[in-house]
Amino acid sequence: MFVMAVHRFGSPHRAVAPSNAQLRPPHLRNDVGMTSGIDYTRFRAAFGEEPGILPDGEVLGTSEDDWDAVFALLRASGWKVTRRDHVSPLPPTWRELPEGESIAVWPAVGVQVNFFPGPEVVYFDIDLREFVNQAAMDALADLMKRLGDALGGDVIILHEGASGPPILRYSPTSGLFTLS
């Protein structure tokens, strides 16, 4: 599968095609460079001078019926996945979680994504303070791509607590990322 990343920085879109090595699963890569095509410094800069610390993520067009598919994806991912206590494993279904319980996922060392299962959309947040290198950005892009492809909806990252245009969007229809 060929995936391209598209960036929009107030100028015409620029497409970046990954190399064949970058198309390998992350655990088989031996390259050190960017694999997502999204520069982490531009991602951080897109949040402005004083960003909220915990930007929100959402898979558009999802509902509570999609959480079991998210759990299946997380179990199969190879990532560290626990309940909020960072120890307890995922239950078989999201409905077996206590109300208000969150799920902690580490798609890379030092990068935690918190999922909030509930009766609405597939919702999560990230911590901008953890985006200190390209590996963190690539891990987020990988997670967004897997979510979007599995659930069939665009995955967006927004300013913390905001509605409006997303900072980053992954479209499973086109296989493209767009950075505002």
Side-chain angles (χ1 to χ4, degrees), residues 19 32 56-57 65 69 83 89 100 123 129 132-133 139 143 168 174 179:
S19 69
V32 186
D56 301 324
D65 296 332
R83 293 184 187 187
Y123 173 75
R129 297 170 294 191
V132 297
N133 58 32
L143 180 138
L168 181 63
S174 66
L179 181 61

Side-chain angles (χ1 to χ4, degrees), residues 15-39:
V16 179
S19 69
N20 286 340
Q22 293 168 332
L23 295 175
R24 290 187 206 124
H27 65 282
L28 296 177
R29 292 184 193 135
N30 58 6
D31 57 333
V32 186
M34 186 181 332
T35 59
S36 68
I38 305 165
D39 184 299

Side-chain angles (χ1 to χ4, degrees), residues 99-174:
E99 186 175 334
E101 180 79 31
S102 62
I103 301 299
V105 177
W106 290 266
V109 175
V111 178
Q112 181 178 330
V113 178
N114 299 303
F115 284 84
F116 304 97
E120 297 180 15
V121 301
V122 173
Y123 173 75
F124 60 95
D125 71 17
I126 61 172
D127 188 334
L128 276 182
R129 297 170 294 191
E130 296 173 347
F131 287 81
V132 297
N133 58 32
Q134 189 60 46
M137 184 71 250
D138 293 345
L140 175 62
D142 183 39
L143 180 138
M144 290 175 68
K145 181 180 180 329
R146 290 187 195 199
L147 279 172
D149 291 348
L151 300 176
D154 286 12
V155 183
I156 60 172
I157 303 290
L158 301 157
H159 285 280
E160 181 178 4
S163 59
I167 298 296
L168 181 63
R169 175 186 298 263
Y170 170 73
S171 169
T173 305
S174 66

Side-chain angles (χ1 to χ4, degrees), residues 47-122:
F47 285 94
E49 293 289 322
E50 295 185 32
I53 295 172
L54 302 171
D56 301 324
E58 179 181 330
V59 183
L60 300 178
T62 56
S63 69
E64 66 182 316
D65 296 332
D66 294 301
W67 278 107
D68 286 331
V70 171
F71 274 38
L73 179 147
L74 295 177
R75 279 192 195 88
S77 69
W79 300 321
K80 179 180 177 185
V81 180
T82 68
R83 293 184 187 187
R84 177 179 32 206
D85 64 8
H86 297 191
V87 177
S88 302
L90 289 179
T93 70
W94 76 272
R95 294 180 196 283
E96 295 176 48
L97 284 173
E99 186 175 334
E101 180 79 31
S102 62
I103 301 299
V105 177
W106 290 266
V109 175
V111 178
Q112 181 178 330
V113 178
N114 299 303
F115 284 84
F116 304 97
E120 297 180 15
V121 301
V122 173

